[in-house]
Amino acid sequence: MAKLEIVIQDKKHYNQAEKAFNEVRTLLGKANAAMAPSNFDKDANIRKGYEKWFGTISQANVSQVRDVIHSMLVQLRDRYVRLEEDLTEERGTFAYVRGVDVGGGLEAGVTIYLGPKFFTIPLLGYNCQVGTIIHEVSHLVGQTADHQYGEADCLALAKHDPAEAVTNADNYEFYVETFKVL
């Protein structure tokens, strides 16, 4: 089990962050299971969801998505994670990670800084607390970038440039969020 440290003074914010973290682990577990070859290869609905957010299926892209999702799950399930509130951050910021943390995740542990806007959005749904944590964790352990933001732009990215979609943080956010209904 991951060692979770939450550095948040406000009890309501603390509880929101803890609940979001636990839900992220649940959804990543579902996404990880779906991406397993025994499920992915046999279930047309799983492949359809993949194609929606990552585009045309290729062995290389599926392998990359599988690795990133598995790495995110391992990080949040087995390694040190720190959620820290940063109320000094701009009011429009949901969350961020520092560049020095990016890519160092699996062994060193990770810190995700939660901005003021994080605590104003819903737990689940598109552009939610759960999705925000997924987005940031994908930067840390999957070395994803911010090529596009938002549902419409990420759908277009998947359709027109699957190779870039598999490196885009919001595509992982939206893909993993789809497992809340399964």
Side-chain angles (χ1 to χ4, degrees):
M1 189 63 92
K3 179 184 183 318
L4 174 63
E5 180 181 9
I6 302 176
V7 182
I8 296 175
Q9 296 292 325
D10 182 279
K11 185 67 172 167
K12 181 180 174 188
H13 287 183
Y14 182 101
N15 291 337
Q16 285 179 301
E18 183 177 46
K19 189 172 184 178
F21 177 82
N22 290 330
E23 189 65 28
V24 168
R25 287 196 321 195
T26 298
L27 294 181
L28 280 171
K30 290 179 180 181
N32 188 60
M35 290 301 298
S38 59
N39 294 322
F40 189 84
D41 296 342
K42 295 177 186 170
D43 191 327
N45 287 328
I46 291 172
R47 290 190 307 279
K48 184 177 178 181
Y50 170 93
E51 288 176 313
K52 178 178 181 177
W53 293 110
F54 298 111
T56 305
I57 293 174
S58 73
Q59 185 175 1
N61 286 357
V62 169
S63 179
Q64 183 172 348
V65 170
R66 186 176 285 138
D67 289 348
V68 170
I69 288 173
H70 180 74
S71 294
M72 288 191 295
L73 177 63
V74 167
Q75 182 65 55
L76 298 187
R77 184 189 65 203
D78 300 338
R79 304 289 198 277
Y80 174 81
V81 178
R82 178 183 172 114
L83 300 176
E84 185 173 329
E85 186 173 36
D86 184 355
L87 297 178
T88 65
E89 190 56 31
E90 296 177 28
R91 290 281 171 214
T93 300
F94 292 105
Y96 66 95
V97 293
R98 291 201 172 118
V100 70
D101 296 331
V102 174
L106 289 179
E107 296 302 323
V110 298
T111 300
I112 301 169
Y113 300 91
L114 306 175
K117 198 164 183 180
F118 179 86
F119 301 101
T120 67
I121 56 177
L123 174 69
L124 291 167
Y126 289 111
N127 293 316
C128 63
Q129 292 174 343
V130 167
T132 298
I133 293 173
I134 292 165
H135 178 108
E136 297 305 331
V137 171
S138 78
H139 286 315
L140 290 168
V141 300
Q143 298 181 350
T144 61
D146 291 323
H147 303 299
Q148 295 292 334
Y149 288 106
E151 187 175 354
D153 289 341
C154 289
L155 289 169
L157 186 64
K159 183 176 182 179
H160 300 293
D161 194 349
E164 193 157 287
V166 302
T167 65
N168 191 56
D170 257 16
N171 287 70
Y172 284 92
E173 174 181 341
F174 292 130
Y175 177 68
V176 174
E177 285 177 341
T178 66
F179 289 92
K180 72 183 175 299
V181 297
L182 300 178

